Amino acid sequence: MSMKLLMGNEAIARGAIEAGLNFAAAYPGTPSSEIIGTLAEWAEEFEYYVEWSVNEKVALEVAAGAAYAGAYSLVAMKQVGLNVASDPLMSLAYIGIKGALVVVVADDPGPHSSQTEQDTRTFAKFAKLPVFDPSSPEEALMMTKDAFELSHRYGIPVFLRPTTRVCHATAGIRFSAVEKNQPEGFVKDSKWVIFPRLSYVRHQWLEEQQLKLSREFDSNRWNYIQSGKKIGILAGGVSVLYVREAAAILGIQPAILKIGNPYPLPTGKISEFLDQVEEVVVVEELDPVLEEGLIAVAGQKGFTGKIHGKISGLLPRAGEYSIALIKKVLANILGMPDSEEITPESGNEKAPDLPVRPPVLCAGCSHRASFYAVKRATKNANAIYTGDIGCYTLGNAPPLSMVDTCLCMGAGVTIAQGLKRVEPDRPIFAFIGDSTFFHTGIPGIINAVYNNHPVKIVILDNSTTAMTGHQPHPGTGKKAAGTAGEIIDPVQVVKACGVKFVETTNPLDLKSAEAVIRRAMEFQGPAAIVMRAPCANTFKPVRRFRIDREICSDCGRCLRELGCPAFYREDSGVKAALQIGPACHGCGLCSQICPLGAIKAE
Amino acid sequence: MADKLDILIAGVGGQGTVLASRVLAQAALNNGLLARTAETIGMAQREGSVQSHVRIGMPDFGPLIPEYGADVLLGFEPAEAQRACRLIKPSGFGLVNIHPVRPVTVTLGTSPYPLEEIQQYLCALPVKILFINAFELATVAGNFRTINSVMLGALSSTGLLPVKAADIKDVLLEMLPERVRGVNDRAFELGKEALR
């Protein structure tokens, strides 16, 4: 059978199934989302339970509960999701689990699609939990299986920490047989109830496991030395592959210690490596986790060679690594010229300036209409607009310029309240998406009511988790595997939180939307407006708009105000007439602001 | 036809670069070759610059093509082709869709789009560059969104790939939902004939 091309995230899903998965939960977040998405697709064929939970803390807790009953359980999230899930995680390290619990946390060096470049290996060290750090989709599959086995044997949660270039890379994968795990069931025991006295005992136990794990990692298949010449390279994750390719391009054969378990570090293996080399380069993206570990071992055993890495200032802590960077660093250390290759640009005249192409709200996006309606209703009001995490963060771009702050999930609603106390005379609008509302928005809304912060909360309800790939959420009534669930209406939730002004409007009807916003502004107290219109990517357009050239005066107002990507001019000269291209999704917002009525539905 | 081939696909989010790279990689796997890819997924997909890397026959390396390492540049869009040309080998080959996707920054007048200069710049590279109007061919096929199938068809007719055109088309159609297979089949064939 030929190999099937799988994304790293799909390979992780497959690995979990082969390991005997019973239970999986997650909240979506790039680059981790496809793990549960894939498990949801395959759920019918294999017998496990899969859900989109409302946030990462909930996901980890439900997955832990399943593992308490003996299930082989998986929870997935992006690195910042682990911040949300950190409360249960820290205690769970002490309490432990039955069955197995694999915590997949996808890191995002770059970052490509994240608020921070935090390193989950550092988090694992803090939580004292073991980590598998794959370099490729193939390894991700095998490590997932090993992580389940290790978790079961030690009775503790185990991290799998892929990065973007593993999650969103693909490779040919061969499938193996699927194991079955029959959960034994929950057995009552005082060990499941955390009390300070138990915590002390379990802390001691957890420290003992660190040593056992470190010894085990000295000899497992994920931490190995590839022998070579005097210079040694210690590397982990996708950086190992960059090191191999850079070395091949330079024509050198360094000794390479590949670390697949960055915590607890296989210090015995590192010591063995130091015996074989004269100097070491440590190559790892983000935090110097391997480097600090190596320096400690080197210090203990009196290694006198040079140690190059982030601490020596040679390699950066921020951003993604590349073959070019590593090639340059190695050439520099070895005193080789970083061969000035003949490049395609050599001898060419200066390259023309390229267009800036930032990601933008899609044509027909209802968020554009929501932002625009609020912008119009608050014109000259000196308002502040707090934003949140999702597609609608893109509302910060001109010409809308409607996101003044963005911090983390749920913070739009709460940052707004602090701002309001200090700036009581300025209207403060907090934008939050529907999925984010369920994730961490609700406590902030209760706080606004309880402490009477008169902020105006705009819930952008497009009936999906759009940014991460259209996952369902509690407001949609659809569940991960496609079956129907309860629909939880944000309107009812906000009312139940005690908000006295709650109105729903369709943002694509600009006049009504503006009127609702004005009423909300006049209301004395916290107010909520639910802007409800489906994500343009979830339905086919039923109409398109075009500009009637007979009527259009080419004033450019539609484009200047809305910045919709469906508008274009035939060439970059300003004289060419403005047109609406085939990307138009038929929202009709532009037709509502044309002073001449020149924009019409086809 | 080489057994080792690095293909860099550059385009704009929404043009179908991810599908194109997956098709090439799966077709290579079906022919017993190793293959891996890396794609831009996430925020940049909203009309931003995107690149897909396809590496055929590279066993121990990562999914990203090193600088000046790509044998083939498949440019779905001229400005994005220029943006990606740091990745192509001097002895490489480029196939570029000449139809621009003007970002809203250009329409708003805050960013330039010197199409002719870009075209001239690409032509002046020591790389063999062929231009194709994939947008027009996709429109002829029945849907402007089939640019990726046109580009795959055109690339498969160059003789550079270690996989037959028919195999690539089979994988492409298999990966697509049934209702759009017809239009993509036509688009692929139009692309294949275009360079003749």
Side-chain angles (χ1 to χ4, degrees), chain A residues 31-32 75-83 85-86 89-90 102-109 114 116-134 158-164 262-264 284-289:
Chain A
S32 72
V75 59
M77 62 197 72
K78 68 181 296 175
Q79 87 285 44
V80 287
L82 187 59
N83 302 338
S86 60
L89 178 84
M90 297 305 289
V102 173
V103 183
V104 186
V105 183
D107 281 359
D108 186 21
S114 303
T116 73
E117 283 195 296
Q118 64 190 73
D119 191 325
T120 297
R121 298 174 306 158
T122 300
F123 217 127
K125 196 172 162 185
F126 178 48
K128 304 180 193 295
L129 292 172
V131 188
F132 287 86
D133 187 12
V158 173
F159 277 112
L160 179 77
R161 179 256 187 186
T163 55
T164 304
Y263 189 81
E284 58 190 318
E285 290 176 320
L286 308 178
D287 292 350
V289 173

Side-chain angles (χ1 to χ4, degrees), chain A residues 60 67 73-77 82 89 92-93 96-105 120 124 127-133 143-162 206 213 216-217 220 260-264:
Chain A
L60 177 56
S73 201
L74 176 143
V75 59
M77 62 197 72
L82 187 59
L89 178 84
L92 205 53
I97 43 93
K98 205 165 82 172
L101 177 59
V102 173
V103 183
V104 186
V105 183
T120 297
K128 304 180 193 295
L129 292 172
V131 188
F132 287 86
D133 187 12
M143 282 185 171
T144 303
K145 294 166 78 167
D146 285 7
F148 272 102
E149 189 276 329
L150 192 80
S151 172
H152 179 68
R153 193 151 43 83
Y154 279 78
I156 53 171
V158 173
F159 277 112
L160 179 77
R161 179 256 187 186
L206 186 59
L213 286 160
E216 178 163 342
F217 291 161
N220 78 1
N261 296 110
Y263 189 81

Side-chain angles (χ1 to χ4, degrees), chain B residues 23-35 55-57 162-163 171:
Chain B
V23 167
L24 291 170
Q26 183 66 61
L29 288 175
N30 292 353
N31 279 268
L33 296 163
L34 289 169
R55 311 198 74 183
I56 297 172
V163 182
V171 174

Side-chain angles (χ1 to χ4, degrees), chain A residues 410 412-414 417 421 430 432 437-455 457 459 490-500 502 525-528:
Chain A
V413 169
T414 36
Q417 298 168 35
R421 280 290 143 185
I432 185 165
F437 167 82
F438 290 110
H439 180 280
T440 31
I442 297 166
I445 293 173
I446 295 173
N447 193 66
V449 175
Y450 172 57
N451 288 307
N452 192 28
H453 299 298
V455 294
I457 298 152
I459 300 167
V491 173
Q492 300 305 322
V493 175
V494 174
K495 283 183 178 165
C497 289
V499 179
K500 300 293 188 299
V502 185

Side-chain angles (χ1 to χ4, degrees), chain A residues 9 83 88 94 130 175 245 268 349 376 392 449 468 493:
Chain A
N9 284 341
N83 302 338
Y94 282 29
F175 290 5
E245 190 155 359
E349 73 256 48
R376 290 241 297 214
Y392 52 101
V449 175
T468 48
V493 175

Side-chain angles (χ1 to χ4, degrees), chain A residues 576-591:
Chain A
L578 194 63
Q579 299 190 55
I580 297 175
C584 174
H585 210 268
C587 76
L589 184 63
C590 54
S591 71

Side-chain angles (χ1 to χ4, degrees), chain A residues 148-212:
Chain A
F148 272 102
E149 189 276 329
L150 192 80
S151 172
H152 179 68
R153 193 151 43 83
Y154 279 78
I156 53 171
V158 173
F159 277 112
L160 179 77
R161 179 256 187 186
T163 55
T164 304
R165 296 302 182 185
V166 174
C167 293
H168 287 169
T170 70
I173 301 284
R174 250 182 251 286
F175 290 5
S176 307
V178 171
E179 302 281 331
K180 287 275 171 211
N181 171 58
Q182 188 58 49
E184 182 195 42
F186 181 71
V187 179
K188 292 190 184 192
D189 191 307
S190 59
K191 74 176 185 182
W192 300 118
V193 185
I194 199 159
F195 270 118
R197 191 176 47 81
L198 176 64
S199 298
Y200 174 68
V201 173
R202 291 302 285 180
H203 185 187
Q204 286 178 311
W205 169 84
L206 186 59
E207 295 296 344
E208 284 161 20
Q209 306 317 302
Q210 310 297 300
L211 294 173
K212 280 192 205 163

